[in-house]
Amino acid sequence: QVQLVESGGGLVQAGGSLRLSCAASGRTSIRYVMGWFRQAPGKEREFVAAITWSAGYTYYADFVKGRFTISRDNAKSIVYLQMNSLKPEDTAVYYCAGARTRTRAAGEYDYWGQGTQVTVSS
């Protein structure tokens, strides 16, 4: 029902920046929250940031607070993740996801993109 496509990943040096984009299509009217998750090899998928469509409320994981900023363009149905001061430990596949309630739990997100690789070199 909903298609999410991430873009913007790539290689960057430590301290650099990247902006990820998530384009949504289909029944986008059912969306309430759009979030970003990441998963590194051998680790569980973890919450990064989320934003509500109606009011633009944002919330973040502690480990990215002050470095990453989530935003959205309602007219274009695009969610962004601006990542600054990147660290090698930020290396992971980053996923865009949609949920119907405000949550940090991956299991409560119903729609997922295929992910985009972010690699931060030391």
Side-chain angles (χ1 to χ4, degrees):
Q1 300 295 324
V2 177
Q3 181 181 0
L4 304 176
V5 180
E6 303 96 334
S7 62
L11 286 164
V12 65
Q13 291 183 319
S17 299
L18 285 173
R19 188 180 73 163
L20 306 183
S21 299
C22 174
S25 61
R27 291 189 61 194
T28 57
S29 62
I30 68 174
R31 296 174 301 172
Y32 177 63
V33 178
M34 295 298 295
W36 286 96
F37 290 77
R38 69 186 188 185
Q39 187 166 21
K43 295 185 178 181
E44 296 293 317
R45 188 167 298 185
E46 62 183 352
F47 172 81
V48 177
I51 187 168
T52 65
W53 282 103
S54 59
Y57 294 128
T58 61
Y59 47 104
Y60 299 88
D62 289 342
F63 57 82
V64 300
K65 187 77 172 181
R67 297 191 297 126
F68 294 6
T69 302
I70 188 170
S71 61
R72 86 275 192 262
D73 185 331
N74 287 4
K76 296 181 179 180
S77 295
I78 298 176
V79 178
Y80 302 98
L81 183 68
Q82 178 67 46
M83 305 187 295
N84 299 324
S85 301
L86 283 163
K87 306 174 181 179
E89 51 263 44
D90 294 319
T91 296
V93 177
Y94 283 70
Y95 297 91
C96 177
R100 299 186 181 186
T101 186
R102 295 176 65 178
T103 179
R104 297 170 182 259
E108 296 182 20
Y109 283 75
D110 299 314
Y111 306 102
W112 295 84
Q114 293 300 304
T116 184
Q117 176 71 230
V118 171
T119 303
V120 184
S121 62
S122 59

